[in-house]
Amino acid sequence: MKIQMFTLAVIFGLMLAEWRVSDRHEARLTELGATDPPEPQYSLMAAAYPLAFLLMGVEALWRHAGIGGAFVSGVLLFIAAKALKYWAIGSLGERWTFRVRVLRGAPLVTNGPYQYVAHPNYIAVAGELVAASMMMGAFIAGPVMTGVFCVLMWRRIQFEERALAAQ
């Protein structure tokens, strides 16, 4: 049980660190003249992402989750998902933010994981959610919130591709 709460604290700590990076990048993109197209699902995503992990933590408390094979597998998947996410962030550099920002005239990034898939960051986020579900033993909240967030990401990908194509 304590390990799940420690795991949740690590997840939220990483989330805070990523928010700070995104905030710095947003400021820089604003200086460079990037636009911020109105995104209808951003507020939902901003709320649903931390809420998903929080609900998984609540389920871990409710289930009195322990450490087993699912926890260990979840840790390994979480590490892999974070590695993919940080590779994507490193490849995008200052262009990575939580929001969709459009920098006119900037070419699409095609190096790093982007040479293999169009949206590696979103694949990584789905991996984080599945991994957290496994680590928390959240076999109700995990799949439900992963499904909800994947629908939001699908809508986000469509919005992002339209915004980038319009530049």
Side-chain angles (χ1 to χ4, degrees):
M1 178 65 66
K2 289 182 182 180
I3 190 72
Q4 279 81 9
M5 295 307 103
F6 173 77
T7 302
L8 198 57
V10 168
I11 290 169
F12 276 96
L14 291 170
M15 198 181 303
L16 179 60
E18 291 165 8
W19 174 76
R20 293 175 118 179
V21 169
S22 174
D23 201 40
R24 261 195 331 269
H25 290 178
E26 280 192 35
R28 178 67 180 138
L29 286 168
T30 298
E31 289 173 8
L32 295 172
T35 59
D36 194 7
E39 182 180 358
Q41 65 276 355
Y42 177 75
S43 296
L44 284 172
M45 290 182 78
Y49 185 65
L51 181 62
F53 295 108
L54 186 61
L55 290 175
M56 290 181 213
V58 168
E59 187 172 340
L61 287 171
W62 175 62
R63 289 186 181 279
H64 303 286
I67 298 176
F71 180 87
V72 174
S73 297
V75 169
L76 295 174
L77 177 58
F78 191 79
I79 291 168
K82 282 298 187 185
L84 176 59
K85 185 180 207 176
Y86 295 151
W87 187 23
I89 291 170
S91 298
L92 287 173
E94 290 180 331
R95 292 167 61 186
W96 179 84
T97 66
F98 286 164
R99 293 183 180 275
V100 173
R101 303 294 309 266
V102 179
L103 188 58
R104 300 270 179 227
L108 290 178
V109 173
T110 57
N111 63 321
Y114 293 91
Q115 64 189 314
Y116 305 109
V117 293
H119 299 283
N121 189 72
Y122 299 122
I123 294 169
V125 170
E128 291 171 357
L129 290 165
V130 170
S133 178
M134 295 167 69
M135 291 185 291
M136 298 293 153
F139 303 117
I140 298 169
V144 168
M145 291 307 294
T146 299
V148 166
F149 205 76
C150 283
V151 168
L152 291 173
M153 285 192 299
W154 178 254
R155 292 176 59 200
R156 169 54 121 40
I157 287 167
Q158 293 171 332
F159 171 81
E160 186 176 314
E161 287 180 350
R162 282 191 310 269
L164 292 172
Q167 74 154 334

